[in-house]
Amino acid sequence: MFDRLFADYLVKTGRLNCDQLDRIYQDQQKKYVRLGVIAVSEKLMTVEEVEEVNQLQALYDKRFGDIAVSEGYLNEEQVSRLLALQGNPFLTFMQAAIDSDIIGAGEFDDLLKEFQKENNFTLMNIEEMKSCQVDRIVPIFVYKEPELVKKLCGVMIRTVSRLIDNHVFIRKPYVEKSVDFEALARQELNGDHHILTAIAGDADDGMMKVAVAFAGAENVSDRDDSLDALCELINCVNGLLATEASNDDVDVDMDAPMAEGNKGKVRGENVLVLPFVACGREFKMLITYDEDYEVVVG
Amino acid sequence: MAKIMVVDDSKIMRKILTGTLTDAGHEVIKDAANGKDALDALETMEIKPDLITLDITMPVMDGIEALKNIREKYPDVKVVMVSAAGQKSKVLEALKAGALDFLQKPFEKEDVVAVIGKFVNNA
Ligand SMILES: [Mg+2]
């Protein structure tokens, strides 16, 4: 997730063009990050120490981790943690960008610092984001909201990542009194809380792409089908939330989802908007919590 | 092979279930978009389904109410719930009302086939 988020930033700031990004993405799929690169990124070893271990590796036919342990640079536990990180998408992205000479190794770090500064993230936030784990990234963006709303956002992005696009990423959430939509899939939750969960679809083929990923091309033939798939996605997400909540004795009950195929607005005192990018398109997840809202069409 | 009826308010979900069950060799003889439509259809069907997959969250009449009606009027028809609403209370209520099993959405297609197969192969 963070690889795509950071790439989005690099394109927006003009550091990367779309061709370069495509090249990096293609290269990224083939990457298996070298342990030394991860050890430096995790600040467990210096570049010099890694080079020393690389030289020893060339001399003896031993694995990087084994030599780093015998030289006292890493312990066994750190090696297994680094091994677990080898498939990490952010690290493969970084290595692909560096190896294809599109971004220099030193520059990469500077760009990451700029990204951090411009978005007011803490160093800790960046470290969490590097994990590329949805459950660790969503709370960095959604933290002011009530517990159930935070959970809802987490379940939504996790479900989109699992069922629709494992490269999904989110943008900063914001609160509005009125949000325009081209099409809307929504579901109301009742019980201990009154929540609206909705996804605002787009005017072009973005909804269709998501629907095809969710339901299979053979099941999606038109815009109504796409919207129906978005409704069912929300239904699945809310169902998972309701199930989780029931284990904590919080009562969440779902109304049948509703589709709105025409343009309109969602109005309320506090409509939380969490933009997410899936299948290359931005969607808005809309949430209102314990308050009245209205959906106005036309 | 069994005769199956698929009940779900989502057209996409009805298509997915129908495709999955048909690929597994079953025959989907009818589908319905809510509990009331399902009951109306059952009334007029000459050959009743062996099994119904039943969603819970639907407009007009939800799956729990439909389940109670189906069990009362057609005790020979088996029902498996296929629903996103996996709250403990819902699952218990459905099983108590006579559903044979409860599959939570989003499901794996193989799980649907396996669960349905448990109840119709020896039918
Ligand atoms: Mg439903």
Side-chain angles (χ1 to χ4, degrees), chain A residues 202 204-213 220-223 226:
Chain A
D202 56 4
D204 57 20
D205 62 350
M207 277 201 317
M208 186 77 107
K209 285 180 179 228
V210 165
V212 165
V220 182
S221 36
D222 54 26
R223 198 172 146 83
S226 305

Side-chain angles (χ1 to χ4, degrees), chain A residues 232 235 257, chain B residues 8-10 55-58 105:
Chain A
E232 198 54 22
N235 186 47
Chain B
D8 199 302
D9 58 328
S10 161
D55 183 25
I56 292 181
T57 309
M58 296 183 288
K105 294 175 189 170

Side-chain angles (χ1 to χ4, degrees), chain B residues 1-2 5 9 36 60 62 65 68 70 78 84 86 93 123:
Chain B
M1 187 193 111
M5 178 169 172
D9 58 328
K36 184 176 179 299
V60 189
D62 74 22
E65 198 183 335
K68 289 173 181 163
I70 293 167
K78 296 166 178 173
E93 195 179 0

Side-chain angles (χ1 to χ4, degrees), chain A residues 9 12-13 111-121 172:
Chain A
Y9 167 81
K12 273 190 181 156
T13 52
L111 290 167
L112 198 55
K113 276 182 195 136
E114 273 169 35
F115 168 79
Q116 180 197 334
K117 215 186 213 173
E118 271 178 43
N119 288 285
N120 289 319
F121 289 128
K172 286 208 165 176

Side-chain angles (χ1 to χ4, degrees), chain B residues 7 17 51-58 62-68 70 78-85 90-91 93-95 97-105 107 115-116 119:
Chain B
V7 185
L17 282 168
L51 186 145
I52 298 175
T53 71
L54 191 53
D55 183 25
I56 292 181
T57 309
M58 296 183 288
D62 74 22
I64 298 283
E65 198 183 335
L67 170 67
K68 289 173 181 163
I70 293 167
K78 296 166 178 173
V79 180
V80 168
M81 309 309 285
V82 181
S83 170
K90 292 271 186 226
V91 176
E93 195 179 0
L95 296 178
L100 292 174
D101 212 333
F102 194 109
L103 266 161
Q104 185 164 10
K105 294 175 189 170
F107 49 73
V115 167
I116 305 264
F119 302 114

Side-chain angles (χ1 to χ4, degrees), chain A:
Chain A
M1 179 192 231
F2 185 47
D3 57 331
R4 303 291 153 143
L5 181 68
F6 189 54
D8 184 54
Y9 167 81
L10 295 177
V11 171
K12 273 190 181 156
T13 52
R15 177 57 188 83
L16 284 184
N17 63 40
C18 291
D19 279 351
Q20 291 173 317
L21 189 59
D22 279 346
R23 266 167 57 206
I24 295 175
Y25 282 162
Q26 273 177 26
D27 203 29
Q28 185 189 10
Q29 290 173 7
K30 301 175 218 142
K31 287 292 173 201
Y32 196 56
V33 188
R34 287 185 296 276
L35 222 55
V37 173
I38 310 173
V40 173
S41 153
E42 290 293 294
K43 302 192 172 39
L44 294 174
M45 291 174 73
T46 64
V47 175
E48 293 75 29
E49 288 167 350
V50 168
E51 272 167 16
E52 186 198 326
V53 173
N54 282 339
Q55 280 166 10
L56 289 170
Q57 223 187 338
L59 284 175
Y60 313 106
D61 187 27
K62 276 190 178 174
R63 288 180 302 182
F64 182 94
D66 292 339
I67 298 175
V69 171
S70 64
E71 292 300 305
Y73 294 133
L74 298 173
N75 60 39
E76 297 282 356
E77 200 182 306
Q78 288 168 329
V79 171
S80 44
R81 191 159 65 80
L82 295 181
L83 284 170
L85 284 171
Q86 274 193 314
N88 175 295
F90 179 71
L91 295 177
T92 51
F93 175 80
M94 181 169 83
Q95 190 163 324
I98 293 169
D99 286 359
S100 49
D101 289 327
I102 293 173
I103 300 175
E107 193 197 354
F108 201 95
D109 219 32
D110 293 340
L111 290 167
L112 198 55
K113 276 182 195 136
E114 273 169 35
F115 168 79
Q116 180 197 334
K117 215 186 213 173
E118 271 178 43
N119 288 285
N120 289 319
F121 289 128
T122 65
L123 201 57
M124 183 70 123
N125 290 156
I126 298 292
E127 291 308 313
E128 289 290 311
M129 284 196 254
K130 279 183 180 175
S131 76
C132 285
Q133 289 172 23
V134 172
D135 293 345
R136 288 168 69 178
I137 298 177
V138 174
I140 295 170
F141 289 79
V142 185
Y143 56 91
K144 282 184 240 164
E145 285 66 26
E147 208 49 44
L148 201 61
V149 173
K150 285 195 254 180
K151 271 192 185 156
L152 174 57
C153 293
V155 177
M156 173 67 83
I157 303 306
R158 213 185 310 146
T159 305
V160 171
S161 169
R162 183 157 70 95
L163 301 179
I164 291 165
D165 179 4
N166 62 0
H167 294 306
V168 62
F169 66 89
I170 52 180
R171 293 190 169 130
K172 286 208 165 176
Y174 50 93
V175 173
E176 295 268 34
K177 290 199 189 314
S178 176
V179 182
D180 292 335
F181 59 78
E182 294 290 334
L184 189 75
R186 63 171 152 142
Q187 184 169 41
E188 271 189 31
L189 302 179
N190 292 299
D192 291 346
H193 297 284
H194 179 60
I195 300 176
L196 165 76
T197 312
I199 296 177
D202 56 4
D204 57 20
D205 62 350
M207 277 201 317
M208 186 77 107
K209 285 180 179 228
V210 165
V212 165
F214 179 68
E218 69 280 16
N219 293 315
V220 182
S221 36
D222 54 26
R223 198 172 146 83
D224 280 351
D225 287 348
S226 305
L227 203 48
D228 185 74
L230 279 192
C231 283
E232 198 54 22
L233 168 68
I234 291 180
N235 186 47
C236 287
V237 167
N238 283 330
L240 291 166
L241 178 80
T243 306
E244 208 179 301
S246 79
N247 295 327
D248 302 329
D249 288 319
V250 177
D251 177 33
V252 178
D253 209 0
M254 295 133 73
D255 286 353
M258 286 192 280
E260 181 49 68
N262 296 308
K263 278 183 195 210
K265 294 176 200 305
V266 176
R267 288 197 194 127
E269 262 319 295
N270 299 284
V271 183
L272 174 69
V273 182
L274 176 65
F276 63 93
V277 177
C279 303
R281 302 301 161 89
E282 184 181 283
F283 294 86
K284 291 186 175 99
M285 181 183 181
L286 311 180
I287 299 170
T288 66
Y289 182 85
D290 283 340
E291 63 173 45
D292 291 332
Y293 71 89
E294 58 173 352
V295 175
V296 190
V297 179

